[in-house]
Amino acid sequence: MILKNGLIWTENRWVKSDLKIDEGKIAVISSSITPEEREEVMDANGNLVIPGLIDLHVHLREPGFTEKETIKTGTEAAVRGGFTTIACMPNTKPVIDNVETLHYLQERIREESRCHVLPYAALTTRLAGKELTNFEELTKLGAFAFTDDGVGLQTASTMYEAMKKAKLVGKAVVAHCEDMSLVKGGAMHEGEKSRELGIPGILSISESVQIARDVLLAEATGVHYHVCHVSTKESVRIIRDAKKAGIHVTAEVSPHHLLLTEDDIKKNDANWKMNPPLRSKEDRAALREGLLDGTIDFIATDHAPHTPEEKQEGFERSPFGIVGLETAFSILYTKLVTDEGFCTLEELLHWLTVAPSNAFSLGKGVIKEGEIADITIIDLQKEENIDASTFASKGRNTPFHGWNVKGLPIVTIVNGEVKWNKGGVAVC
């Protein structure tokens, strides 16, 4: 296959070139490539050709919660959003906490996945925070990293032992940070909006106190410690100080925490309920500053689908989480690059491609001869109104329904195969 006349992001510069894909890899990048007889040619003129996007925080819900999402629907949502590699969380039913369940998940990924899927394994059995899983066997079977995402690990001694085991097998500990003794049944950020709506709040320090504990444990064990979905200014400060101290800590931030605040919540609508919750304007400003100065390494969606029936229960009764795979690039590009000028297109691409790859040494996120052909084509001029009813994901739970956005992924290529073509690129 040859992509003709695209504006290619390669070696940290834009080059208008042709790109030839052969046996799943990028074979040639050149100003002009002549197709062989019957070779497929795709006209990318006027569009960006970028590395496939990477999302290291996704909930595919399979096994056990297939009414919310499946590997097939979740990865279809991923390729429609321009993602070629995602990592799926282990809070399924049963939990991915043993080799039999991990093996089953891997078989389902091989059968159904539309993109690369890296499976996490749990830190503790049933995510209960007590008994550690078998790190050695799960690593041998291909666990990407270890996490109890969805719940915070409450006991410091258990986290300490988990980090020691993860260090031995060369894997990262990926942490959802939440001290439940400070949550007290909260459903949204503790602040003016929670008081206005009469909804119990969640203190910011419920997140930051666990991060403070964990970075010291990471220093003691030498493990790679990664913080999921950072949401508060205190958390950013702790992570920044930890990095300055030479501790191996990385961190991610979600699109919704970069774009929204508690002030955007107008009513008791659970499509705005996520964990961690939307915070204050000061918190959002700290997240953005942390992303710019490298304290926060990359962006991850925390794609968390639920059924419409579950989300109709309101803030106090419905589950936490929103979907994000199909909206991430367009909302970030529209708001952060074009509307606000907060960052450049190139910085945004860095946070969605090479930065997550570098944080976990994936060897992905670049377009270069000899590399795997994971490629996304973006039409920066194309606009659309986000309509949750059209999502490939089973989840419709998004606060971005109705937003007018531009900068749309229109073709996604995984291992050299076209997995999504929105129809805007002609196949010659």
Side-chain angles (χ1 to χ4, degrees):
M1 176 195 296
I2 294 176
L3 306 181
K4 296 288 288 184
N5 301 312
L7 193 59
I8 302 173
W9 180 243
T10 177
E11 309 284 357
N12 291 319
R13 62 194 178 105
W14 294 106
V15 180
K16 186 160 186 176
S17 291
D18 296 350
L19 184 153
K20 182 181 177 68
I21 298 171
D22 188 27
E23 296 185 349
K25 292 191 174 182
I26 299 168
V28 181
I29 300 172
S30 176
S31 58
S32 181
I33 301 174
T34 302
E36 297 177 8
E37 188 176 355
R38 290 192 293 277
E39 186 169 25
E40 185 178 358
V41 177
M42 187 173 284
D43 184 7
N45 188 36
N47 298 311
L48 305 183
V49 177
I50 66 168
L53 306 181
I54 298 170
D55 187 351
L56 298 184
H57 194 145
V58 171
H59 298 269
L60 291 179
R61 304 301 192 197
E62 192 174 353
F65 299 108
T66 53
E67 73 280 9
K68 298 172 187 275
E69 195 74 288
T70 64
I71 290 165
K72 185 175 183 178
T73 60
T75 57
E76 178 66 21
V79 296
R80 291 191 184 197
F83 291 94
T84 55
T85 298
I86 62 174
C88 63
M89 290 298 175
N91 57 339
T92 51
K93 186 180 180 182
V95 172
I96 312 301
D97 61 5
N98 60 79
V99 292
E100 291 78 14
T101 310
L102 177 57
H103 179 71
Y104 169 81
L105 175 64
Q106 289 173 320
E107 286 298 309
R108 293 293 296 149
I109 290 170
R110 271 189 283 273
E111 293 167 357
E112 298 287 351
S113 178
R114 303 275 291 159
C115 63
H116 304 289
V117 179
L118 308 172
Y120 284 98
L123 285 167
T124 66
T125 304
R126 299 185 301 280
L127 309 181
K130 296 180 180 177
E131 181 184 357
L132 295 180
T133 57
N134 190 327
F135 283 43
E136 293 81 6
E137 292 300 317
L138 288 163
T139 296
K140 286 178 184 175
L141 198 59
F144 166 60
F146 290 86
T147 181
D148 274 5
D149 183 53
V151 292
L153 215 168
Q154 301 301 303
T155 308
S157 62
T158 305
M159 179 60 95
Y160 179 60
E161 295 301 324
M163 286 183 173
K164 287 199 298 183
K165 282 185 171 288
K167 175 65 175 177
L168 281 175
V169 298
K171 294 294 181 181
V173 167
V174 175
H176 171 117
C177 296
E178 187 174 26
D179 187 319
M180 296 307 294
S181 69
L182 295 168
V183 174
K184 298 179 179 178
M188 65 185 298
H189 175 63
E190 172 73 33
E192 290 297 323
K193 184 61 66 167
S194 66
R195 288 186 281 276
E196 175 188 325
L197 295 177
I199 295 171
I202 300 173
L203 293 171
S204 294
I205 55 172
S206 65
E207 174 181 294
S208 53
V209 295
Q210 277 212 345
I211 297 175
R213 176 200 73 183
D214 288 352
V215 294
L216 294 175
L217 297 175
E219 181 178 35
T221 59
V223 77
H224 172 198
Y225 172 65
H226 177 76
V227 187
C228 292
H229 41 53
V230 178
S231 71
T232 76
K233 58 182 183 294
E234 296 87 358
S235 300
V236 174
R237 186 178 74 230
I238 293 165
I239 294 166
R240 182 179 290 121
D241 289 345
K243 286 192 169 187
K244 286 179 181 175
I247 301 170
H248 189 180
V249 55
T250 56
E252 70 190 37
V253 63
S254 75
H256 43 280
H257 288 112
L258 286 172
L259 299 179
L260 306 173
T261 72
E262 59 174 342
D263 297 331
D264 294 304
I265 304 171
K266 304 304 180 189
K267 58 182 180 179
N268 190 349
D269 179 354
N271 285 320
W272 296 77
K273 180 181 180 181
M274 63 283 288
N275 191 11
L278 297 175
R279 302 290 188 181
S280 69
K281 290 179 180 176
E282 291 76 18
D283 290 310
R284 184 179 65 179
L287 296 174
R288 291 183 173 194
E289 182 181 354
L291 194 58
L292 285 176
D293 71 14
T295 300
I296 296 174
D297 296 83
F298 59 85
I299 299 171
T301 68
D302 192 10
H303 176 83
H306 295 289
T307 67
E309 293 75 19
E310 290 174 307
K311 279 295 191 180
Q312 288 173 1
E313 294 293 323
F315 254 88
E316 292 191 61
R317 293 171 58 87
S318 69
F320 290 98
I322 63 169
V323 293
L325 284 169
E326 290 168 83
T327 57
F329 182 84
S330 60
I331 58 174
L332 289 167
Y333 174 72
T334 301
K335 291 299 178 183
L336 296 185
V337 178
T338 66
D339 288 1
E340 301 180 15
F342 162 75
C343 65
T344 64
L345 169 64
E346 292 75 18
E347 287 173 319
L348 178 59
L349 293 180
H350 175 78
W351 295 322
L352 290 168
T353 58
V354 70
S357 176
N358 287 347
F360 284 82
S361 302
L362 300 181
K364 294 175 176 284
V366 294
I367 290 182
K368 189 177 179 183
E369 291 181 4
E371 298 294 330
I372 293 175
D374 289 344
I375 294 169
T376 300
I377 299 178
I378 302 282
D379 184 344
L380 287 184
Q381 306 307 316
K382 199 174 186 66
E383 299 186 28
E384 73 175 12
N385 188 272
I386 293 175
D387 181 354
S389 69
T390 66
F391 287 169
S393 170
K394 289 188 175 183
R396 301 287 182 264
N397 43 311
T398 174
F400 300 111
H401 176 77
W403 278 36
N404 289 309
V405 294
K406 59 184 176 183
L408 304 179
I410 54 174
V411 174
T412 303
I413 299 171
V414 180
N415 268 348
E417 294 185 20
V418 176
K419 296 295 185 179
W420 163 245
N421 187 344
K422 194 176 178 65
V425 177
V427 178
C428 307

